[in-house]
Every structure is written in structure tokens, then in C-alpha cells.
Amino acid sequence: MFASPGSIAFQIPEIFGFGPFPVRWYGILMATAIVVGLWWAHRQARREGLPADDIINAGQWAILAGLLGARAYEVIFNWDYYGRFPWKIVAVWEGGLAMHGGLIVGPLVGALLARRWKLPILRGLDIGAPSLAIGQAIGRWGNFFNEEAFGAPTDLPWKLYISPGHRPPGFARFDYFHPTFLYESLWDLAMFIVLVAGLRARLHRQPGALFFAYVGLYSVGRFLIESVRLDSFWIGPFRVAQIASVVGVAVAIAGLAWTHRRAVHGVAAEPSPSVR
């Protein structure tokens, strides 16, 4: 590794191993993100007098579904690779989780379980929104250790050194790239602060609004950051993640308008859940 002073340098992806099974930073960071997110959601649910254990139970299944959705999204849009190496489909420790797939599947499964278990769906989504943001802020550092999800070549002071074996075709002569994983991690952290410190109290009387605000904020940031990345999926001349982000902004606007109308017209709050 030859990184210049002041640049961000690649770190070893493996911490240690149990025989043939390596323990990677990617997995450690993903686990940390999940634990921190669930801890925050449980804490907030208790503060609001909601059935925290039941909400976290639904959240755990939503996370599992979200991870499967994120992997499926990655495999579908990168089938030219996984079709040739199908055994790599299960190699999630090597990276390859597409956030938009998780955002589609995870909250949907969580909402369906909340409905089945008679939990407050919109309040549950609001509780989960900051947890998603802080979890993403932590989890994005897994891309750093795996040398993935970086952007175009750059000479900016915070440039990221990428080892030759991880550089895309046509970029072998470049040493330094935009650390887009860092851009998104910082954006996610900023989202968490805005949601918790700026919007949570303001939108408390508008159940569901905090979740839709999260969807909108994430989509705006992802749209901008995606324009720099080199590993985008494409449909014709369009980046798939940017199309998904535009849809996300539209969903957020519609959701905020819907929750606002509910609040203005005094729609009854979601029924108190039964204790299971």
C-alpha cells in the first residue's frame, strides 16, 4: 500500500479467523449497526410508552427481510457477474448490499408484521427512521474496509487510496478516488441529527411523517452522491439508484402530504396495541 500523507488509506478487511472462516470488518460493522439501531429504537419506544419489546421483535424481522432485499437487489442488477459465479450470491461478507432493496423490503415487512400483531404501524416507522439513519452511518464503513462503493478519481485532500486489484477496468492508472462511502456516512449521520433534534418533536402529532422525512432526506443525498460513484447500476443512460431516489422523493412528498392531511382532519390515532 502506498498512500500519500493526508489521504485516506485502505485497511485490512479481516480482523482474525477461525480456521477457514475469517472474521471481517464488514460483518462486525454491520452487526454493530444493527445493535445500535435496535437499541435506539427500543429506547425511544419506551420513552413514548409503546410496547418496545414487540416493536423490536417486528424490527428484527424487518432487518432480516431488509438484508435479504438488499442482497436480492444487488444480485438482480449485477446478474452478469452473479450469473457466472452463482456461489458468490451467498458471500455477503464480501459486500454487495444495495440499500434501496433494503428500504423497499424491510419497512414493508415491518409494517405487515405490525398490522398482524396490532402494533401502531406509523409510530413504529417513526421510531425506526432514526435507527435506520444511524445504522447506515455505521454500516457504510464496511465499504471502506472492503474497498468498494468509491467514486471517480480525485486529488482532493480527503482522497481515498484504492489498491490496484480493486480498481475498476479503465482506472488502473489512478491511485486516489472519491470516498463516497464517507460522504454517505456523513450524510446519514447528519440525517440522524436532523431527525432526532430537529424534526421528531415537530412532527410528533403527525404519525408517519418522520419516516417519510427520512425517506426523502436519504433519497436526496443518495441521488447527489450516486453521481460520483463508479459502480452504479445502469438502465440505458440512467443510474438505477438515481431513478430509485427520484421515486423515493416522490414517495416522501406524497407520504408527508398524506400524514399532514390525517393530522389536520383529526384522524384518530392508531389503536393501542394489545399486550401479546
Side-chain angles (χ1 to χ4, degrees), residues 140-166:
R140 272 297 171 191
W141 282 88
N143 300 138
F144 168 63
F145 289 99
N146 276 2
E147 288 192 281
E148 61 185 5
F150 51 86
T154 183
D155 286 323
L156 290 171
W158 53 85
K159 58 193 176 185
L160 172 69
Y161 175 80
I162 296 295
S163 58
H166 288 83

Side-chain angles (χ1 to χ4, degrees), residues 26-272:
Y26 189 90
I28 294 295
L29 287 162
M30 288 296 296
T32 302
I34 292 171
V35 169
V36 171
L38 289 173
W39 169 79
W40 181 269
H42 189 272
R43 174 178 176 270
Q44 186 59 29
R46 291 187 63 183
R47 287 183 61 182
E48 295 189 18
L50 297 173
D53 291 342
D54 289 343
I55 287 176
I56 294 305
N57 192 20
Q60 290 171 336
W61 285 106
I63 289 171
L64 177 59
L67 292 173
L68 292 174
R71 187 59 172 178
Y73 189 103
E74 166 77 14
V75 170
I76 289 170
F77 285 103
N78 203 18
W79 186 248
D80 57 335
Y81 171 77
Y82 289 105
R84 289 184 290 118
F85 307 104
W87 59 89
K88 290 286 189 179
I89 292 175
V90 298
V92 293
W93 53 88
E94 296 180 0
L97 294 175
M99 188 61 200
H100 280 116
L103 282 178
I104 294 169
V105 178
L108 179 61
V109 169
L112 290 173
L113 287 175
R115 176 175 180 146
R116 180 177 179 181
W117 295 342
K118 296 182 171 58
L119 299 173
I121 298 173
L122 296 179
R123 285 295 184 203
L125 290 173
D126 284 345
I127 286 170
S131 294
L132 285 168
I134 193 62
Q136 288 170 250
I138 297 169
R140 272 297 171 191
W141 282 88
N143 300 138
F144 168 63
F145 289 99
N146 276 2
E147 288 192 281
E148 61 185 5
F150 51 86
T154 183
D155 286 323
L156 290 171
W158 53 85
K159 58 193 176 185
L160 172 69
Y161 175 80
I162 296 295
S163 58
H166 288 83
R167 296 171 194 169
F171 291 88
R173 64 188 179 90
F174 297 99
D175 291 331
Y176 300 101
F177 299 80
H178 277 282
T180 49
F181 84 91
L182 176 61
Y183 301 162
E184 187 161 340
S185 179
L186 292 175
W187 180 266
D188 294 336
L189 180 60
M191 275 198 308
F192 173 77
I193 295 171
V194 169
L195 292 172
V196 172
L199 296 179
R200 184 172 60 184
R202 190 174 303 175
L203 298 176
H204 183 70
R205 297 182 181 277
Q206 196 173 323
L210 194 68
F211 173 76
F212 287 115
Y214 157 78
V215 172
L217 288 170
Y218 174 75
S219 298
V220 169
R222 182 61 186 270
F223 183 92
L224 297 174
I225 295 168
E226 192 69 22
S227 64
V228 185
R229 284 179 60 164
L230 293 177
D231 59 346
S232 300
F233 303 138
W234 294 81
I235 295 180
F238 302 105
R239 298 174 189 257
V240 173
Q242 289 188 318
I243 296 173
S245 294
V246 170
V247 173
V249 170
V251 169
I253 293 172
L256 287 168
W258 174 65
T259 56
H260 178 71
R261 283 198 303 271
R262 281 171 52 91
V264 168
H265 292 286
V267 176
E270 294 172 295
S272 299

